[in-house]
Amino acid sequence: MGVEEQRSGSRVSRPETRLVRRGFTDPDGALRLLAGPALNGLAAESVLLDALGATADPDLALLGLARLLEALDEAERRTLRDTLTTAKPLRDRLLGVLGASTALGDHLARHPRDWHALVTFELRDMHPGPEDFLRALHHSVWGAGPGEGGPPPGVSRPDALRVAYRRCLLAIAARDLTGTTELAQTAAELADLAGATLQTALDIATEQDQDAAAACQLAVIGMGKCGGRELNYVSDVDVIFVAEPREGVSEQAAVQAATRLAAHLMRLCSDATGEGTIWPVDANLRPEGRNGPLVRTLASHLAYYQRWAKTWEFQALLKARPVAGDTELGAAYTEALGPLVWQAAARENFVADVQQMRRRVIDSIPATEVDRQLKLGPGGLRDVEFSVQLLQLVHGRADTALRSGNTLEALAALSAGGYVGRADAASLDAAYRFLRTLEHHIQLHRLRRTHLMPKDAADQRRLARSLAPLINDDTRADPVAALQREWKRHAVEVRRLHEKLFYRPLLDAVAELPAGAAGLSPQAARARLEALGYADPAAALRHISALASGVSRKAAIQRTLLPVMLGWFADSADPDAGLLNFRQVSDALGRTPWYLRLLRDESAAAEHLARVLSGGRLAPDLLLRAPEAVAMLGDPQGLEPRGRAALEQEILAAVGRAPGPAAAVAAARAVRRRELFRTAAADLLGRLGDGPGQALDAAGEALTALNAATLQGALRACVAGWEAANGELPTRIAVIAMGRFGGHELGYGSDADVLLVHEPLLGSLEEDAARAAHAVCNELRTLLAAPSTEPPLLVDADLRPEGRQGPLVRTLVSYAAYYRRWSKAWESQALLRADPVAGDPELGERFRRLIDPLRYPGTGVPERDLVEIRRIKARIESERLPRGADPTTHTKIGRGGLADVEWTVQLLQLQHGHELPALRTTRTRAALAAAAEAGLVPAQDAAVLDAAWVLASRVRAAVMLVRGRAGDSFPADARELAGVARYLGYGAGHSGELVDDYRRITRRARAAVEKLFYGPAGA
């Protein structure tokens, strides 16, 4: 079908519509190109149109393809057209380049046969190394032999080099844009290509000046990004030239000869001809800069750096790497100067000089460019590079693993060595990769050296489409806005971590105050602490002084710990509380030999302690009651919650050793306090699961097992106490967990909701058995809730028949009679979460069999019960919401909160539990998943309800962890809210996003509840 025939078709099949859907912004222009002689017939190839639509700029890609096809002769054009439609790899590479780079499109229009460079068959074509690039360039400049390669007639060797360089660049860009290579590999290939180009240019210069070549050895040292194998697409290539005389030649003559070769090499790469330029070769990093000689001998270099070099020059030498010329001389250069680099940190004012240099860079940015700078501005690439380089220079003196000239490799080494936290390193790594990739794609468009975000919306749209895999946002609706959000997110994170890491060496001086050795005034120290987020820097300084002053071994170790600890505290919502808690723990354990040794030798333990102490009030309060629990932070398995069997064994052993019930229950509570800390610490450190749902389930299971084991131990103690005074207990007792306890969904502030059931022993009077059971159960509740240094376990039996007015404990027969005659719908609903957890297991199992017909009725839910359940739910919503509470953020009975989800799930269990065994579970999430699996709840609604329940539960857990007391609403205090947000994975300053996300998620959940609980599905 021709273009005109397509135009006359239905509106749905109009070619313009198809092109717009594929991302074209000028469909009319695209149709004209497709109808042209070069592309005619390709409009019907949907694979080609799809491939064009997948490029960064489909219009640009189509225009470049048309120009390429027009530049080819008929035979080549047919070959390319056939290959395009049949070979997806070539199609993706070629169109990917054409849609991202006008400059490379121009190159293909001038040299159309270079499209063959994108047809790869061998592994080395996919991942070429320096030798491969050098071989390709030499083949184009000289050829492999007579008639094999070399420049075409009339083309000079320098121009052949420029064309060959662009051909190699074309292949690198194609692999990059199609995802065959990732950023680090692309940057390394660009640096390898630069080294091969410098070598080829030097070979041309040597061929044209053989006398100079005979007089000297010349090595080219790559600096900056070329030296670090992290080069941009378009960048000055920084170099230093070093020369030595050949035998029989004077040093002066050799330097003069080498200078001629070096200058010729620079002109070959930097000068523009009809084939353009390659890139400027910049030798200004040499000693004395542009005022110094272009070439020096090795001895002259060494003398300069030993006597005159400034701090920044040693920082620049971090990336020095021989890239061309005499390899032995290049190796001798790096071997001689390397040790000087790692001594630089000992220079006077070293840290201050590096920091001042970074400030000068920022101050030099024009005001009109600050907000668009990807490289030099705050939150830009330089922030990452300077942070990494400063940490390398400070710590690399002793740790040779840090001595890489590559930013990402050095960052990984700093993380592996514990100098940078893993999360911080991951954030910096991700940000650096994003910013460098963004910079690359900006430069690729016209192959111009720039580090500024373009102003034009079309340019930003092209960038957003090319970066879509790296943007954690939906780029379809508004790609430009998504790009801006992702860029700003990374920039803010980079600046935060730069402030934290780049100024960390200052914290060594702060930790030594008030000894005065650091040279920082108290005022400057307070300012730095305030910049790190400490609300009361004066108090922080007092804590630091108390911990680190003096000449004792304890103070010395603290001085090595505090710089890192202060940074970790600063990465929390409340650094002041973290430092105060650390001082209190250190005061309590400072004389214990293992404590400081553990923190000094186990960086993970120190980091875990800092995170836990600054993560809220609950965990520090638990730890301060028994600080020796710090030891578990140094054990790789120490934060794994222990199972019910291990806990029960320990608690029962402790109970058996105690002299009486009070002491026995106190021992059980002590174990519970320690295990509460273990679970809370693991939760704060993200060690309970791979995602929010898993972490929540693991915490609920751990807390349930802990409370069940505690109840078992306390019951054993109370029974033993009764029997010591009265003889054998005349009854058996079972504890039935209810509510979140029965659902294995306990939170840190949850009570233990239970039903208590007993059964008289054969031959015992029922009245005696009832009195004994009541005495034991009452003492159980009293001792577990008694005032103590240990956290209480409140045993709540209000869900029993007749509530508070009924007996605390009943016989199994009494329960059966009550449920047979008086049980209401809400009680059947409550029994859905009943689960025997302690006491006599056989009695507990008989209780389970008793209640199963009530909670899984064979006839479902009668209409009157359904009306009653809905009425009770509505009354709870209207009457039990605390005065002044926001129903959109109340996690328990607010809109889309826990009650909404749980009542909906429980109604489905009452209706269908008798026929679907998978619904017969006390766990909310498991029941919801079973309902979805059975088709009772649409999958989308189930996902919404599950997400809301998980989020609401985690908010309640976070409130308890942060405030140290339970709460069902978001804290009003800004710092506490920030702590809740950090626990939930939101970065600093993003508390508002948490509240917005909560309202959005629960609003969707409420809509599902309205449909399932109140609507036809719940009818």
Side-chain angles (χ1 to χ4, degrees), residues 767-854:
E767 184 178 347
D768 293 340
R771 278 198 300 268
H774 183 274
V776 169
C777 292
N778 193 56
E779 185 176 27
L780 171 78
R781 298 177 69 199
T782 301
L783 291 177
L784 286 172
S788 168
T789 57
E790 310 298 349
L793 176 57
L794 301 178
V795 178
D796 187 342
D798 288 352
L799 289 175
R800 64 187 184 267
E802 303 175 68
R804 296 181 183 177
Q805 307 305 316
L808 176 64
V809 57
R810 288 175 181 258
T811 64
L812 186 64
V813 173
S814 177
Y815 273 105
Y818 174 85
Y819 287 137
R820 185 170 56 252
R821 297 185 60 190
W822 309 109
S823 179
K824 298 181 174 59
W826 71 264
E827 290 178 291
S828 295
Q829 183 181 352
L831 289 171
L832 285 166
R833 305 178 99 182
D835 190 28
V837 293
D840 188 282
E842 192 271 338
L843 179 59
E845 185 56 37
R846 287 168 58 202
F847 183 87
R848 189 202 303 274
R849 292 198 295 270
L850 168 69
I851 64 171
D852 274 354
L854 279 80

Side-chain angles (χ1 to χ4, degrees), residues 460-637:
Q460 292 189 22
R461 179 178 181 271
R462 183 188 66 254
L463 289 170
R465 285 172 59 91
S466 71
L467 290 165
L470 297 181
I471 297 177
N472 296 318
D473 204 342
D474 188 354
T475 60
R476 292 171 297 181
D478 191 343
V480 172
L483 172 64
Q484 290 285 347
R485 285 193 298 271
E486 190 73 4
W487 172 31
K488 295 305 180 187
R489 182 178 72 82
H490 282 300
V492 168
E493 183 70 358
V494 165
R495 192 60 187 173
R496 181 185 73 83
L497 292 173
H498 172 73
E499 283 289 319
K500 172 182 171 183
L501 299 174
F502 192 59
Y503 295 102
R504 178 181 289 175
L506 281 179
L507 299 178
D508 284 313
V510 174
E512 292 179 0
L513 288 175
L520 267 185
S521 67
Q523 291 79 13
R526 282 197 294 270
R528 176 50 49 207
L529 287 167
E530 187 172 5
L532 287 169
Y534 288 83
D536 189 353
L541 281 172
R542 289 195 297 271
H543 298 320
I544 293 168
S545 176
L547 288 165
S549 295
V551 295
S552 67
R553 182 174 179 83
K554 168 186 166 185
I557 296 176
Q558 285 284 16
R559 282 193 291 271
T560 65
L561 287 171
L562 274 168
V564 180
M565 300 293 286
L566 288 170
W568 284 326
F569 295 144
D571 194 30
S572 71
D574 195 351
D576 301 81
L579 179 55
L580 172 60
N581 291 330
F582 179 63
R583 179 183 176 183
Q584 291 174 332
V585 172
S586 296
D587 287 346
L589 290 175
R591 295 184 183 275
T592 307
W594 57 263
Y595 169 62
L596 290 177
R597 184 171 63 243
L598 171 70
L599 300 185
R600 181 196 62 196
D601 297 340
E602 301 288 342
S603 60
E607 181 178 0
H608 290 165
L609 179 62
R611 303 294 186 200
V612 168
L613 292 179
S614 57
R617 296 181 183 176
L618 178 64
D621 286 349
L622 294 169
L623 180 61
L624 288 169
R625 293 173 185 177
E628 64 276 5
V630 167
M632 69 177 63
L633 299 176
D635 181 355
Q637 310 299 324

